[in-house]
Amino acid sequence: MPRNSDSQFVDRTIELAAENVEDGGRPFSRLVVRDGEVLAESPNLVEQSNDPTAHAETVAIRQACQRVGSESLAGCDVYVLAHPCPMCLGALYYCEPERVIFLTQRDQYEQYYTDSTKYFEFGDFYDEYAKEWDERNLPLEFGDQRNDDALDVYQRWRALHGD
């Protein structure tokens, strides 16, 4: 349920994305807010940084987590211009915000903006994630030659950190 204070953060989310488009960036942005204070904000910086992980969500999550000194953003609200892509959705699950408020859905903006790479069309991205790992377009191989050695790393972590 939207809150009365959402309006200023919604406006800023839109403004940040619009500024990024004018500066040659992509039409996405994100704010992280706690107790009415913006902890972090970022547009999508993929184009500017040549970093495919520099989505607005990931950049703002990094900034906000550094600011609060935790990997958790519990108690925070997150404002995003568009429904998160799978990478950003995963980051949101990991950082545990109170709410995620997105302002557009893909089917609303796809006539104006679309994204694709060698291995996926954006509209099919969620379908790609639902496939078994060996059926995905991205060529994934299970390198089980040193599986026991690899598992030793996890066993050591458990020994150091407990259950």
Side-chain angles (χ1 to χ4, degrees), residues 34 61-62 64-74 95-96:
R34 184 174 62 192
I61 284 172
R62 289 177 190 137
C65 287
Q66 289 295 311
R67 185 159 178 200
V68 301
S70 172
E71 65 190 58
S72 175
L73 295 177
C95 74
E96 310 169 326

Side-chain angles (χ1 to χ4, degrees), residues 30-154:
R30 182 207 220 182
L31 270 66
V32 178
V33 178
R34 184 174 62 192
D35 298 328
E37 177 189 0
V38 176
L39 297 178
E41 65 177 32
S42 181
N44 177 295
L45 297 174
V46 170
E47 200 74 31
Q48 297 93 320
S49 66
N50 298 314
D51 176 355
T53 68
H55 289 205
E57 291 86 349
T58 58
V59 174
I61 284 172
R62 289 177 190 137
Q63 292 171 355
C65 287
Q66 289 295 311
R67 185 159 178 200
V68 301
S70 172
E71 65 190 58
S72 175
L73 295 177
C76 293
D77 291 337
V78 175
Y79 295 81
V80 229
L81 192 71
H83 183 271
C85 77
M87 177 180 70
C88 295
L89 189 60
L92 287 163
Y93 271 96
Y94 271 103
C95 74
E96 310 169 326
E98 189 71 26
R99 299 185 308 156
V100 177
I101 301 96
F102 58 96
L103 308 180
T104 61
Q105 294 186 52
R106 190 188 162 283
D107 61 346
Q108 294 175 300
Y109 70 77
E110 72 181 326
Q111 65 181 323
Y112 309 109
Y113 178 88
T114 189
D115 211 350
S116 62
T117 72
K118 177 179 177 179
Y119 297 116
F120 75 92
E121 290 289 326
F122 191 78
D124 301 330
F125 208 169
Y126 284 97
D127 294 335
E128 180 72 11
Y129 266 56
K131 294 178 184 176
E132 293 294 323
W133 69 267
D134 57 347
E135 295 174 359
R136 293 185 180 149
N137 293 334
L138 181 68
L140 298 168
E141 297 178 18
F142 180 52
D144 63 353
Q145 302 88 339
R146 307 264 326 261
N147 186 271
D148 289 339
D149 293 339
L151 288 174
D152 287 346
V153 176
Y154 296 100

